[in-house]
Amino acid sequence: MKKHIISSWIFSGVFALSGILFSGNAIAEEYRSSPWQMGFQTPGSESAVRIFACHDLLLYIETAIVVLVLLLMVYIVIKFNAKANPVPSKTTHNTMLEVVWTAVPILILITIAIPSLKLLYFIDKTEEPEMTLKVTGNQWYWSYTYPDQDGLEFDSIILEEDELEAGQPRLLSVDNPVVLPVNTNVRILLVSNDVIHNFAVPSLGLKLDTTPGRTNETWTNIDKPGTYYGMCSELCGVNHGFMPIQVRAVSKEDYAVWVEQAKQEFAQNGEPGSLPASGTVKIAAVISQ
Amino acid sequence: MSQDHTPTGARRWLMSTNHKDIGTLYLILATFAAVVGGAMSWYIRLELMEPGIQYIDDFQLYNVLVTAHGFIMVFFVVMPAMIGGFGNWFIPMMIGAPDMAFPRLNNVSFWLLAAALVLLVVAALVDGGPGTGWTVYPPLSSAEFHPGMAVDFGILALHLAGASSVLGAANFITTIFNMRAPGMTLHRMPLFVWAILVTAFLLLLAIPVLAGALTMLLTDRNFGTSFFIVEGGGDPLLWQHLFWFFGHPEVYIIIIPAFGIISEIVSTFSRKPIFGYLGMAYAMASIGVVGFFVWAHHMYMTGLNVDTRAYFTAATLVIAVPTGIKIFSWLATMWGGSISFETPMLYAFGFIWLFVMGGVTGVTLANAGMDLAFHDTYFVVAHFHYVMAIAAILAMFAGFFYWIGKMSGYRYPEGLAKLQFWVFFVGVNVLFFPQHFLGMAGMPRRIPDYPDAYAGWNYVSSIGALITIAGTILFFYIVWRTFRDRVPCPANPWGVGATTLEWTVESPAPFHTFEDMPDINAKASVE
């Protein structure tokens, strides 16, 4: 197992490097986490860019607060230990100080709240959707429906380890990725067939529950072609950790071509919402792992 | 003295009405539960040490471990130790009362909790156990997706634990309002008493909401109602609103007693009265009040409408103000002090560090917009372990080393205890700090296996867990040494800084604390 980890790190490292060297190349980029990563994934949409930027602002403020407290503690330890300061002071009140450490945090919070609330309203919904994608959570796979494309619908199921091809990441790859065009306002509607799931793609700034009895709405507009990965982010039962999300973003032209192919490929799926037999078999296989 | 009636054996321990004995029982129960809940978390970290499935190939079992770890640590470790244990032991002593207001109710509270623990263990062992997470969200927790009796046993366990807490809360409130010694005005009470008072009110108001929600879930599962079942006109989000209306105050129920303990210790070892005493007391009270109006920040990703999320963002940010006041007041108490660094004070420093770390990430998570990046990731796991779970554990260690001399009459080995602090403190930071990175990179919580990219920091985190295990074993060795070496502890081992009433009586504190009613007016005011 160890050998496997190390080789996968090396592989990912080489992969990341090639991504840097050949950026702008036709090879579609992979948007997922990398080994020893300490920050966010590379953003792939305006929402993600804004979320990460807003967090950067916060991180400066919070780091400053932590460093301030740390310095105060170090100073206290050095100056006010029993040896250095044998006679304790009797000070127990300082109104000015107390007003300051109440008022200053309020100002800091207002500084945080303004960009934060702007962000919240930006990422909420799109007023001008150019297309709609319906995402259905199931135990334990996702179904994607394209209402604008005659109800094109298919299931997206995790690839087991022996099904992975070279370069396909474990636990993140699926048989049928959801395909979306770039530079398009996509309205995403989320529903569930059983329990609560959560459709999350970190690099696109997407995360929303699929709850039975409700239709939740969010949106995305993907910047660049590439593959964007996510995982179910609400505990949904035994195989919660095994229902990944793989979004393949392509140019509008490629998308149009894909839609026609997909309509034929998934024609046998029949009525929306019905569970294809192949899906059931695969789920059983995953469970029995 | 000689006419004291001191029962022995089973009569003393099973039918106890003495606040100290009941406090001791609570501490023993919490210690036992901590070993069980801790072992579960270490088993989880062992599984997560490397990618792939190593040990837990039954994912329902994995989910049950996650669930039981949460329940046990919240309801059977932190609450019993802080409120039942230290609260019972020291609230009557600190206010100069002979015992709790309702001694027999006190006994009932404890044994209800013991019964609840048995039910919870049964829940984990029948029908595959509850793999719902401690939040028990329906429909996953409904009869359709969790058939069998596991969730029902879990519900009954929480009902009993809740009843135990409500009775205990009523007891504390009555005791603190009615049994203070002459001169012990509300504004002279030690901050630990204030902390327990605020906590008791939170329990009294929050637990009944949980009880109502649990009852609805129970009838949904067994009697054909559909409060949370969509097909019957119910709504899964109703559960989440009710659960978090209880659940958010619950995290303050856990941490406010810790504030109290840390305040006592900081004041004692700085040889100074607490700075801004009234501000500290009312900061706790206001945290308690505001804590009831922020619950839906746990639900930002449920599809709540955007204005609602904006409100809960603003309301949640407000909590940073009183918590900031507490941090700065602790620092100001130390400022100008003559500080000695015995183990309880080291733990107080450790607590403040953890609480500040977890506090600032809490400010991040308060923002609905940014929470999108963090909700249900390891960032949240890191946040709440820093700010609430491990901070509370450090406060419990602090309280243990602060009061063990008073409770047992024996001094603990100081050098070993300092070593134990450093091992445990380094361990928990190595354990939880890398989880911030994992969360930012997008690793979801509650998964038994993860994409290979997350291997590095998970490995580091699990190393931290191993260090924490060493710290825990060392702690039990120190407990054993304390009781084996029997180094007598004086009435007041901490010197002039220890001004609260428990240090005026001998160690161990006598079965009946005060032979004469303490007169607070004659003493230096605790202000």
Side-chain angles (χ1 to χ4, degrees), chain B residues 169-191:
Chain B
N171 210 346
F172 278 115
I173 291 171
T174 315
T175 307
I176 294 169
F177 277 154
N178 295 300
M179 296 181 65
R180 299 189 310 277
M184 178 61 78
T185 61
L186 282 176
H187 283 174
R188 278 183 180 169
M189 295 192 313
L191 283 176

Side-chain angles (χ1 to χ4, degrees), chain B residues 231-284:
Chain B
E231 291 82 342
D235 186 351
L237 283 200
L238 174 62
W239 167 269
Q240 295 191 23
H241 281 292
L242 292 172
F243 180 85
W244 287 115
F245 190 84
F246 146 80
H248 196 74
E250 173 65 30
V251 304
Y252 297 127
I253 288 165
I254 286 171
I255 204 63
I256 287 179
F259 291 164
I261 294 173
I262 297 303
S263 298
E264 299 302 331
I265 289 171
V266 165
S267 166
T268 295
F269 291 89
S270 303
R271 318 265 183 275
K272 265 183 75 192
I274 204 83
F275 185 96
Y277 166 85
L278 281 183
M280 288 289 256
Y282 285 101
M284 284 192 281

Side-chain angles (χ1 to χ4, degrees), chain A residues 81-101:
Chain A
N81 66 67
K83 265 186 208 146
N85 190 35
V87 184
S89 84
K90 298 269 175 242
T91 315
T92 57
H93 294 284
N94 185 326
T95 309
M96 193 58 207
L97 197 58
E98 292 182 61
V99 168
V100 167
W101 73 42

Side-chain angles (χ1 to χ4, degrees), chain A residues 43-282:
Chain A
S45 73
E46 182 65 17
S47 292
V49 168
R50 291 198 190 193
I51 293 168
F52 300 170
C54 197
H55 181 262
D56 285 346
L57 166 75
L58 240 78
L59 202 56
Y60 288 123
I61 297 173
E62 289 169 2
T63 307
I65 293 169
V66 170
V67 169
L68 171 73
V69 172
L70 194 62
L71 289 177
L72 286 173
M73 292 209 302
V74 169
Y75 188 82
I76 285 167
V77 169
I78 295 169
K79 291 287 279 192
F80 301 117
N81 66 67
K83 265 186 208 146
N85 190 35
V87 184
S89 84
K90 298 269 175 242
T91 315
T92 57
H93 294 284
N94 185 326
T95 309
M96 193 58 207
L97 197 58
E98 292 182 61
V99 168
V100 167
W101 73 42
T102 309
V104 171
I106 292 174
L107 294 178
I108 293 174
L109 290 175
I110 292 171
T111 316
I112 292 171
I114 292 169
S116 159
L117 291 177
K118 272 190 192 162
L119 169 73
L120 176 63
Y121 281 85
F122 176 80
I123 63 176
D124 181 46
K125 284 188 175 77
T126 173
E127 296 295 326
E128 295 146 351
E130 294 167 69
M131 64 167 281
T132 300
L133 171 72
K134 185 179 147 204
V135 177
T136 308
N138 306 279
Q139 280 184 324
W140 289 273
Y141 62 98
W142 299 95
S143 304
Y144 300 106
T145 313
Y146 294 73
D148 312 329
Q149 307 294 346
D150 312 324
L152 167 63
E153 183 172 57
F154 57 89
D155 297 330
S156 183
I157 294 162
I158 186 171
L159 289 181
E160 290 167 48
E161 273 179 63
D162 53 12
E163 298 173 314
L164 293 174
E165 288 166 27
Q168 283 190 310
R170 202 174 64 89
L171 298 180
L172 290 173
S173 306
V174 297
D175 56 354
N176 300 312
V178 58
V179 178
L180 290 174
V182 294
N183 298 318
T184 307
N185 278 344
V186 184
R187 173 168 58 195
I188 302 174
L189 301 178
L190 301 119
V191 296
S192 169
N193 265 339
D194 37 53
V195 301
I196 302 171
H197 305 269
N198 185 299
F199 183 78
V201 185
S203 52
L204 295 179
L206 279 177
K207 184 177 282 167
L208 197 56
D209 281 356
T210 69
T211 309
R214 281 172 188 265
T215 305
N216 284 335
E217 180 183 339
T218 184
W219 72 291
T220 192
N221 189 325
I222 305 171
D223 292 337
K224 280 184 280 185
T227 309
Y228 301 81
Y229 295 93
M231 300 168 81
C232 178
S233 293
E234 183 62 60
L235 180 62
C236 59
V238 174
N239 283 329
H240 163 54
F242 306 92
M243 48 181 293
I245 295 142
Q246 191 180 349
V247 181
R248 193 154 66 84
V250 297
S251 68
K252 290 183 182 181
E253 298 77 44
D254 290 349
Y255 175 74
V257 174
W258 173 83
V259 164
E260 292 315 313
Q261 287 174 352
K263 277 181 183 170
Q264 293 184 356
E265 189 187 339
F266 299 112
Q268 75 278 15
N269 272 8
E271 292 299 306
S274 70
L275 188 70
S278 64
T280 320
V281 173
K282 276 208 165 161

